[in-house]
Amino acid sequence: MANILVTGACGQLGSELTAELRKIHGNERVVASDINGPVTLIGDGPYEHLDVMNKQHLEKVIEKYNIGVVYHLAAILSANSEKNIDLAWKLNIDGLLNVLQLAQSRKMERVFWPSSIAVFGPDAQKKKTPQNSPMNPTTVYGISKVAGEHWCAYFHRKFGVDVRSLRYPGLIGYKSLPGGGTTDYAVDIYHKAVAGEKFSCFLEKDSALPMMYMDDAVKAAIDLMNAPEENITIRTSYNVSAISFSPEEIATSIQARIPGFDVAYEPDYRQEIASSWPDSIDDSAARDDWGWKPAFDLKKMTADMLKNLPGVLEGM
Ligand code: SER
């Protein structure tokens, strides 16, 4: 049986997705890879130090472990992409092309690649943004995600590569930290609340963004990858939605449990990125095609974060 490779396995999504895939398929069948790891979070199992821009090495790893399915997560997020345009484009696009070309030439079974709400720009419908709203992003990250979506659709149409994708909103979890994203404030805010410190938010208090709890994000990827091929009608990337809230709303949900938690709003360059993105997303295609349904709302997420984060921080 072919095995699974996760790139970017030590990242925020990668560490949790790798752990879940190992639970389902067994540690030995899921190969973790990254340029920054290994981290303890991904647990026991094969690990390869891998730069996805190095196609030869990527092919060697695929061959060595008889890889048939790739979860290709290695990428640079929105805020960091603005600071390093060249690397963001190379990693986000050349890395994806390497994976798609190897999936084609080696006749791999399936590829998962995350896109983002960042594909939308200021001219997209702000609320309940439809699947096919205009995609004119104003960020480097968004440009790379729009291009990546079209590469996925092209490799599927032209070569039959079964590549599947989700437009993730901001992801929030307690097990690992994100890095370099615009939505990351919604993770940091819990860390400050648990530490009993004041939080300085780099977005305006009313800047609403689409978000998702990590359990839902992992489930969405696995459900999409398990769906029968004939159900997948969208080969660019599916809108997926769970929660939408502003910094003030998440602060209020924390204050309901930690009264006195103090937040200051000091917007920086990331506000412009956030302002160009939707407030909320319409994900009816994902619901209709493969039964997508999130489990966590803001209240449930805050309860789970505040219950689990202190233990994780103690263990660090
Ligand atoms: N969470 C990502 C970011 O802020 C969006 O996909 O960059």
Side-chain angles (χ1 to χ4, degrees):
M1 199 157 37
N3 293 318
I4 298 168
L5 173 67
V6 183
T7 73
C10 297
Q12 188 203 13
L13 174 61
S15 51
E16 303 219 21
L17 190 54
T18 302
E20 186 61 24
L21 289 169
R22 284 182 170 167
K23 247 192 242 162
I24 298 169
H25 301 280
N27 289 4
E28 290 310 310
R29 286 203 49 217
V30 180
V31 181
S33 72
D34 207 301
I35 40 171
N36 292 322
V39 292
T40 43
L41 270 177
I42 55 176
D44 287 338
Y47 177 83
E48 290 282 334
H49 183 267
L50 174 65
D51 174 354
V52 292
M53 294 181 286
N54 183 340
K55 193 176 174 186
Q56 270 184 335
H57 189 200
L58 178 61
E59 184 158 27
K60 270 200 190 130
V61 170
I62 288 170
E63 207 171 281
K64 176 175 168 189
Y65 293 97
N66 184 29
I67 299 295
V69 175
V70 180
Y71 286 78
H72 174 48
L73 311 180
I76 298 188
L77 290 181
S78 60
N80 280 354
S81 290
E82 295 301 306
K83 293 187 197 150
N84 197 340
I85 294 176
D86 278 358
L87 184 63
W89 183 257
K90 282 200 182 79
L91 175 56
N92 294 4
I93 293 299
D94 291 355
L96 173 62
L97 277 174
N98 287 343
V99 170
L100 291 174
Q101 284 166 347
L102 290 170
Q104 176 205 346
S105 64
R106 304 187 67 88
K107 299 190 177 21
M108 287 201 261
E109 276 167 39
R110 213 157 278 182
V111 174
F112 175 83
W113 175 76
S115 183
S116 161
I117 53 149
V119 293
F120 298 113
D123 60 345
Q125 185 178 309
K126 274 268 168 227
K127 291 194 194 314
K128 290 253 159 210
T129 309
Q131 176 72 33
N132 292 318
S133 222
M135 276 176 281
N136 296 306
T138 49
T139 63
V140 172
Y141 180 69
I143 296 169
S144 77
K145 289 297 185 189
V146 172
E149 286 193 9
H150 288 296
W151 278 123
C152 289
Y154 180 89
F155 271 77
H156 175 258
R157 190 172 58 245
K158 189 101 178 177
F159 306 117
V161 173
D162 188 0
V163 50
R164 305 175 178 200
S165 177
L166 300 172
R167 288 177 185 149
Y168 276 126
L171 302 184
I172 297 160
Y174 60 86
K175 289 188 191 145
S176 59
L177 282 170
T182 303
T183 55
D184 296 358
Y185 88 85
V187 179
D188 296 340
I189 193 169
Y190 288 110
H191 283 251
K192 286 284 184 295
V194 165
E197 291 171 23
K198 181 177 174 171
F199 179 62
S200 164
C201 181
F202 57 71
L203 297 184
E204 305 271 16
K205 63 178 176 187
D206 57 354
S207 192
L209 286 170
M211 301 277 185
M212 185 180 286
Y213 198 45
M214 191 55 81
D215 298 43
D216 281 332
V218 167
K219 185 178 173 304
I222 290 171
D223 285 357
L224 174 67
M225 289 294 269
N226 285 340
E229 200 165 348
E230 60 274 17
N231 287 28
I232 309 299
T233 63
I234 292 172
R235 288 294 180 168
T236 47
S237 187
Y238 278 95
N239 276 9
V240 275
S241 154
I243 326 172
S244 169
F245 56 78
S246 64
E248 193 171 38
E249 285 164 336
I250 190 174
T252 304
S253 86
I254 295 170
Q255 282 153 351
R257 291 169 175 271
I258 307 180
F261 174 51
D262 196 10
V263 181
Y265 299 93
E266 291 161 305
D268 65 14
Y269 71 101
R270 288 167 281 195
Q271 180 57 53
E272 199 183 325
I273 301 177
S275 300
S276 77
W277 289 351
D279 292 0
S280 59
I281 296 286
D282 176 276
D283 61 0
S284 34
R287 288 173 189 258
D288 293 348
D289 285 2
W290 44 276
W292 163 242
K293 197 167 178 276
F296 283 82
D297 60 14
L298 178 55
K299 200 171 164 198
K300 202 169 160 197
M301 176 175 83
T302 293
D304 209 59
M305 285 294 286
L306 295 180
K307 187 176 99 195
N308 290 299
L309 191 55
V312 170
L313 294 176
E314 260 168 40
M316 273 179 178

